[in-house]
Structure formats: C-alpha cells, structure tokens
Amino acid sequence: MADSSKVTLLDSWYSPFGMRVRIALAQKEIEYEYKEENLSDKSPLLLQMNPVKKQIPVLIHRGKPVCESLIIVQYIDEVWNQKSPLLPSDPYQRARARFWADFVDQKIYSLGKQVWLSTGEAQEAAKKELLDTFKLLEGELGQKPYFGGETLGFVDVALIPFYTWFSSFEHCGNFTMVEECPKLVAWAHKCMEKESVSKTLPDLKKVFDFLMDFIKKQKANK
Amino acid sequence: MESKEVVKLLGFWVSQSSMRVEWALRLKGVEYEYIEEDIFNKSPLLLELNPVHKKVPVLIHGEKVILESFVILEYIDETWKQYPILPQDPYDRAMARFWAKFAEEKFLDNAFKAMCTQGVQKEGYLKQAKEYLEKIEEVLIKGKSKFFGGENIGYLDIVLGVISYWLPLWEVVGCMKIVDPIQFPSTTLWMENFRNHPVIKDKLPPRDKMVVYYQWRSKEIGARMASARKS
C-alpha cells in the first residue's frame, strides 16, 4: 500500500551511505524532502532524531526517525513493498543479499580509508585486501547484470555509491579499477544506466576533488 | 516443506554469536545437529562453508549455507514462522535492528576490550561501555515489558542476551563493574528474566570453563592490542 505520509532525509551530498537511501527512494518513486547536513555543525534536528550516533543518513517518516543506511533501505523496502522490491522474497536469497551487503559494510569503508591515508607496507596491504574484496564481489556477481539478478537489488544499492570513490582509490593506490576489476567496472556502468542511480550519484569529479581535499587535511592533521 | 530438510549448526561452545542462533532455534522448537568447531584450529568444513570470513556460526539448512549471526537470525525467523522473534511492524523491526547493531558494535565491543586491557585504556573502554549502556537502559525503561519482545523473547533480547551471562563473567575476569544494579535497574531486571527463561537457562555454557577460557583469551587479545598500539 503506497504510504503518502511525509518523508524527510537528513544527509550529506558526498556520503555513500546517504546515497544508498536516495537510490532506494528513487527506485520506489517516493517523494521526500532532502535536508543537507553540515557534519561539522550538526543541526538540532539531526541531534534530536539520531541522539545515539549523531550521524547521517536519517530517514524521518510519520515523524519517527530510522537510522543506519542498510536498516533504512530495508525499512523503505518493507513499507513501500508494492514497487521495485530490493530484497528477494525467498528467505535464503534474502540471507545471501544481507550477507553480501554486510560484507560491503565490513570491508570497503575501512580498507578504502587505509588506502587513502596510510603509506608504504600498510597501504600496500590495505590495497591488496581492498582489491581482494572487489574480486570476491565480482565472483558473487557472476554472469548476472546486477547482484539483484535482472534488476537492481539490495547489494547493488549497498555497493554502487562506492563507485564515486573508485578514482580516489586508483589515485592513492596507484592502480586502475578497469585493469584489476573489469567486471565490477562494467557492473557500475550498468547501474548508471538506471535513472535512480545516475540522478542520485553526484558528479564523479566533484567527489574526487572533495575526497582529495579531505585526505590532504587528514594527513596534515597527523 | 523446509522442516524436512536437515538443520545443522557449526558453532563454538563459548561464542555469543553461536549461542544466539541456538537460542532462536530452540525457542522455535527446530531440531538441529550441533557441530563443535575449534576456532583456533579451523576445520576444512568451516573453511569450505565460510571461505570469506572463516567464522562461526554457520547454519546449514539442507543444501543452503547461511552465515553471520544477525543474518542467520532473520533467516530462521522467515523460515520457521512459529514463535516470531522480529516484530511485525516495519518501524519496530528497524528499531530492533538498530539497537542490535548498536549493542554489538558499541556496547559489547567496549565491554570486551575493557576486560582485555589495563590502566588508562581500560578506564577509557569502561567509560564508553557505561555511556552506551545508559542509552540501552533508556530504551529498556521505555519498554516496560518483561522482554523487548513483550512477554516473549524477541530478536533484540536474543542479541543482547549475552549481557545477561557473558558480561558478569567478563566483569569478574576483567576486575571491573559495568552493570551496577543501582545505576542500571531495568537492565539488571531484564538480565535476570532472560537468564531464568526455561529455554535460555537450559542452553548456557559452563561457567567455570568460561572463566578459564576468558582469563586466557583476554590476556592474549590484550597483548595483541598493546603491540598494535606500539606499531
């Protein structure tokens, strides 16, 4: 049943976690109010809606907040269950999707940060592990166009925002994704054919410049 | 249909994650075969079933292999409909998932690290753990039911359940106190209710064995953490 109560999203334009929610909302054609948060000056609304972790994204629906990107995406999938299901209906396929989305969560952010910020052996080790992570994901994708099969699914939504980080990994780690993980690059391009993805992901150069600036500041602070 | 397929669980006797899965299966009355895995000497079976993380628990249901305790709990709830453990309402489900993740990643992680460390590090982890427990206590006070699941044990009770049994033991091994009954009255009451539930009471690891295990394990992890800090 379509739910027409007001939906608000507290987010930051460059956050891959926020992008997951925006893609899910777009897939389901849900209208919502977007509120950009400045994370160095958090709004009273954010602190009220996520007092525990004080992080974005936060989805506010029927006046109540939902936090943590993958939890929000599942919530969206369960409430607006008539259109574009993101999780399969079979419990075992759902378990597989949840496992791989959790895998993305466990690996990419922390390894990616190490590739950006560390040097020498530590950076090489992180780069190797990151590439192994991507190759495992390629294995899971197999011959399917999307992780969700013929359509965008939960794992696709979890992973595709990190496409905006690929060029930063390449730059810092001195490799190219298309050489190391051609299947994943092809998958990313396929996802970008979907409007819900292409209209959600910010301009890649804009994200690259933002990340390079962030990395420079982080390294200067050490 | 699925009840005809054999259910097996690869676990480790003292693992909280394995225990959560056993509690869920027992609450639902699902018969299963338990296979003990020595996580310090991993079997070819484990490495074959979980090549990505090489960890327990692993649930085997017929030909299907399900990994990661939170994922397994949801699979169990969706496959065996009796004694539902997740709430029906999507918002309540989101809340249960949020607090489960928070409890595991923030509270339990800090409590465990407090057990493994000394001095300033220990104080730091203890302070964090207590701050996070305060937040959990607020949710419990708001609940007012016997369990998060109401009169019955639910998903969040199962995930937090380790607090009722592992945590007092970690406090002993780590010479520390986190769950002060005066500061955390609702948590204390919930812990007692959980520990005394007939299904749970029947499935807890032996306490003296656990003390020996954690005395050794906490020293080993503490040493590893100390050398990581130095590098």
Side-chain angles (χ1 to χ4, degrees), chain A residues 7 25 40 48 51 74 89 96 101 116 128 197 199 222:
Chain A
V7 179
L25 290 166
S40 14
Q48 183 202 349
Q74 286 189 85
S89 50
R96 287 184 69 97
W116 288 342
K128 181 179 184 303
V197 177
K199 291 206 163 153
K222 276 197 178 172

Side-chain angles (χ1 to χ4, degrees), chain A residues 50-53 64-68 71 74-75 78-79 91-92 94-95 98-100 102-103 106 136, chain B residues 52-53 64-68 71 74-75 78-79 90-91 93-95 97-99 101-102 106 135:
Chain A
N50 192 358
V52 174
K53 291 182 88 176
K64 294 189 286 191
V66 184
C67 308
E68 297 294 307
I71 293 175
Q74 286 189 85
Y75 174 80
E78 287 170 16
V79 173
Y92 181 57
R94 290 161 76 82
R98 286 180 175 129
F99 172 81
W100 286 104
D102 175 70
F103 177 74
Q106 280 191 40
L136 273 168
Chain B
V52 174
H53 295 307
K64 297 170 275 207
V65 177
I66 304 103
L67 309 167
E68 295 293 296
V71 177
E74 297 223 25
Y75 174 80
E78 290 170 6
T79 305
Y91 184 74
R93 293 159 77 84
M95 287 299 102
R97 288 170 179 144
F98 173 84
W99 285 102
K101 190 168 193 266
F102 175 77
K106 300 290 184 189
K135 301 205 157 34

